[in-house]
Each structure stands twice: as structure tokens, then as C-alpha cells.
């Protein structure tokens, strides 16, 4: 977010120069046309509109950046809330457990990211797979309620179990990594390398993706 804030401040002087140039040009046009106030109004409106469009573009950039940062708790929760709204008819007890697990995963991922920022890209990808698993679980819950034949009920149950298991394993594995990183700070040399942890995180991503339908 800080990067976009600096860019925003950097572009403001250029915008002010543009507005000054527009004002001077407007003054010349007004003198040429003989102080026609309608011309002044049109030029002023155009200048204000240009300024507003520039501000809107910066707001859109900032909004997009925040929306994709799943390591921010409120952003992650907003995605969970969206899934919950889409599948509001599924059994609450099952959903509450899945949501609790997903929130725990996000909390551990955030702690790991604060400890070692180099892992942030992989952690973000893991959180994306977690959201996919949560939505898949919600879909399975809805299918279990709606399908009538035994065969398809069994398939939905299997998918529900698979999604639950992957969420549980993801939480356990990330918590183990967090604990390992804490212990590494007490030992010289470190028990693990950054490259080894990155490989491990990518393996976890692959396992989660394999747990999704169609993978």
C-alpha cells in the first residue's frame, strides 16, 4: 500500500502543472472569445472531470491491491463472507467448522509472513487454494442436501471429506512450519533453509490444488 501512496504523491505535482496550464489556456481563450461565461463553465468542468478521473484511477489501484492481499485478516474474512452469502442454505454447523479452520490457517500464514517476508507469494497462493477448498466444501454440502440418488450422495460425501481433510492438513502443516521457525531462532545454525521451506510450501500448494475438483 505504501508503494501506491508514494506514487500518488509523486503524480500530484504533474497534475497541478497540467491544471495551471489549462487555466492559462482557458484565460487566453476567454480573452479571445470576449469573456463568454459559458466557455469558462465548460473549461472548468472539463478540468474538474480530468482531476476526478485521475483520483478515481488511484483509488481503483489501491482498492485492487488491498482486495488481493489475503494476509490481511479483514480482506480474507470478506472473501469468506462472500462464500457464506452464496451458500447461505447449507448446514451451519459444518460451515462454521470449515470457516473456523480457514481463519486459523490465515492467522498462521500471517505470522509466518511477518517472520519471513520472502515466503509471502507462496503463502498468498496457499490462501487462495484454501478459499477454493472452502467453496468446494460448501458446494459439497449443498449437493448432499439436494441430490437424491445414493451414488451421487456418496460422491458428494467423498468430496466433503476430501475438502475437510485438506483444510485440516493445511492448518497442521503451516502450524508445524511456524513452530519450526520459532525453534530455528534458538539454534545455530538454522535447521532449515529458505529454499527448503519454499519447496515445502509449493508442495503444499500442489496438494491443495490436487484436492480441488477438476485437478
Amino acid at each position: 500500500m505504501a508503494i501506491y501512496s508514494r506514487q500518488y504523491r509523486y503524480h500530484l505535482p504533474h497534475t497541478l502543472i497540467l491544471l495551471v496550464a489549462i487555466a492559462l489556456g482557458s484565460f487566453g481563450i476567454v480573452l479571445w472569445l470576449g469573456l463568454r461565461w459559458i466557455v469558462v463553465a465548460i473549461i472548468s468542468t472539463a478540468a474538474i472531470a480530468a482531476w476526478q478521473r485521475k483520483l478515481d484511477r488511484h483509488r481503483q489501484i489501491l482498492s485492487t491491491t488491498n482486495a488481493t492481499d489475503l494476509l490481511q485478516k479483514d480482506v480474507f474474512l470478506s472473501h469468506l463472507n462472500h462464500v457464506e452469502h452464496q451458500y447461505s442454505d447449507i448446514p451451519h454447523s459444518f460451515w462454521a467448522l470449515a470457516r473456523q479452520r480457514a481463519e486459523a490457517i490465515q492467522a498462521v500464514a500471517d505470522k509466518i509472513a511477518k517472520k519471513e517476508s520472502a515466503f509471502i507469494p507462496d503463502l498468498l497462493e496457499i490462501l487462495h487454494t484454501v478459499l477454493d477448498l472452502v467453496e468446494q466444501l460448501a458446494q459439497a454440502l449443498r449437493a448432499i442436501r439436494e441430490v437424491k440418488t445414493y451414488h451421487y450422495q456418496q460422491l458428494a460425501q467423498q468430496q466433503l471429506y476430501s475438502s475437510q481433510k485438506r483444510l485440516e492438513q493445511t492448518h497442521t502443516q503451516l502450524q508445524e512450519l511456524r513452530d519450526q521457525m520459532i525453534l530455528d531462532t534458538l539454534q545455530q545454525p538454522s535447521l532449515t533453509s529458505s529454499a527448503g521451506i519454499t519447496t515445502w510450501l509449493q508442495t503444499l500448494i500442489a496438494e491443495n490444488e490436487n484436492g480441488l475438483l477438476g485437478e
Side-chain angles (χ1 to χ4, degrees), residues 91-102:
H92 178 73
S93 58
F94 285 97
W95 167 254
L97 182 60
R99 179 176 179 129
Q100 181 181 4
R101 185 75 68 185

Side-chain angles (χ1 to χ4, degrees), residues 21-215:
I22 292 174
L24 292 175
S26 302
F27 181 72
I29 294 173
V30 168
L31 290 179
W32 178 55
L33 294 175
L35 294 176
R36 296 180 181 179
W37 291 108
I38 186 63
V39 176
V40 177
I42 293 173
I43 294 174
S44 299
T45 302
I48 293 172
W51 175 265
Q52 185 62 45
R53 283 196 299 271
K54 193 171 187 68
L55 289 178
D56 289 342
R57 283 197 297 271
H58 282 286
R59 291 194 188 102
Q60 184 176 8
I61 291 173
L62 291 173
S63 176
T64 302
T65 302
N66 291 338
T68 57
D69 188 1
L70 297 179
L71 289 170
Q72 293 186 30
K73 184 177 180 179
D74 56 339
V75 174
F76 189 81
L77 291 181
S78 71
H79 284 273
L80 286 179
N81 291 338
H82 177 69
V83 176
E84 184 171 346
H85 177 72
Q86 283 186 305
Y87 299 90
S88 57
D89 56 336
I90 61 178
H92 178 73
S93 58
F94 285 97
W95 167 254
L97 182 60
R99 179 176 179 129
Q100 181 181 4
R101 185 75 68 185
E103 290 181 20
I105 291 171
Q106 190 277 335
V108 176
D110 181 46
K111 291 177 182 177
I112 295 174
K114 289 177 179 176
K115 182 73 174 178
E116 182 51 74
S117 60
F119 303 144
I120 287 178
D122 289 325
L123 292 169
L124 285 173
E125 193 166 355
I126 286 173
L127 291 179
H128 277 289
T129 64
V130 166
L131 289 175
D132 290 338
L133 287 168
V134 167
E135 183 167 6
Q136 182 173 268
L137 182 144
Q139 291 171 347
L141 286 172
R142 174 177 286 178
I144 290 172
R145 192 195 66 177
E146 293 182 351
V147 297
K148 304 303 181 183
T149 60
Y150 175 79
H151 173 68
Y152 289 106
Q153 284 183 343
Q154 289 297 105
L155 289 177
Q157 288 282 0
Q158 290 173 7
Q159 194 55 59
L160 174 62
Y161 172 76
S162 176
S163 300
Q164 288 176 322
K165 184 178 179 181
R166 282 309 317 155
L167 288 173
E168 182 179 353
Q169 290 177 340
T170 299
H171 179 236
T172 299
Q173 290 175 281
L174 283 181
Q175 187 60 60
E176 288 177 351
L177 174 60
R178 165 66 176 163
D179 294 344
Q180 184 176 330
M181 292 174 68
I182 293 174
L183 289 179
D184 280 353
T185 61
L186 305 177
Q187 303 190 37
Q188 295 294 334
S190 173
L191 293 175
T192 55
S193 65
S194 295
I197 293 177
T198 297
T199 301
W200 184 89
L201 289 172
Q202 291 173 353
T203 300
L204 179 56
I205 292 169
E207 291 174 348
N208 283 352
E209 289 176 342
N210 288 336
L212 294 169
L213 282 173
E215 297 294 335

